[in-house]
Amino acid sequence: MIFIAFFYDGSRDSKRASESTGFRNHIARFDVAGTLTFMSAAVCLLLALSEGGTRYAWDNSRIIALLTVAGVIFCSFIGTEYWRKDSAMVPVCLLRRRSINVAIWFGLCLGSVFFILSSSQANVFYIPSMVSIVDGVSAVQSAILKTKRDNGNNELSNDSEPGHVAEA
């Protein structure tokens, strides 16, 4: 935030360009309330998502409280942005543009394709680990099996018994 405070150029139009560009005017136009509420909501949400299921169970009161606080703070962020109107961190008039809405939907759809259909994390980490654990093969043999599967070679081994890898 200190970096933004020093290098923030808040002039969005010609009306504000004529105003004095002193440090106090920059700070006055800077949406401190919106930035702090958004950062607080993001920290609470990420803390709940990272600790939930690992250190604490999902039904633990700490995780539920973090998710609830993140939701409340995010709602206050939306209220703060609506109250600040054009000087908000994300101006409401920007969200009314059709091109911005299309870009948001495109980003959401593209992100869902990467996470749901490609499941790259499953291909990179979980499948070789599963092959190594279930079939009882070493990490090297699991990597060979994954490489052959990725290259489209369906004949992974000469024998039908698990754990046997064909020599190349």
Side-chain angles (χ1 to χ4, degrees), residues 14-70:
S14 60
K15 289 187 288 185
R16 290 189 183 171
S18 63
E19 295 178 3
S20 66
T21 58
F23 183 71
R24 288 183 186 227
N25 286 337
H26 281 293
I27 297 300
R29 288 184 295 204
F30 186 61
D31 187 16
V32 177
T35 303
L36 289 177
T37 54
F38 185 77
M39 285 180 9
S40 301
V43 165
C44 288
L45 180 65
L46 291 175
L47 189 61
L49 292 177
S50 66
E51 297 292 326
T54 56
R55 181 180 285 181
Y56 302 108
W58 284 107
D59 59 352
N60 191 335
S61 61
R62 292 180 186 184
I63 302 301
I64 294 171
L66 278 172
L67 290 172
T68 305
V69 168

Side-chain angles (χ1 to χ4, degrees), residues 11 50 57 76 89 125 142:
S11 60
S50 66
S76 69
M89 189 168 69
F125 179 72
S142 177

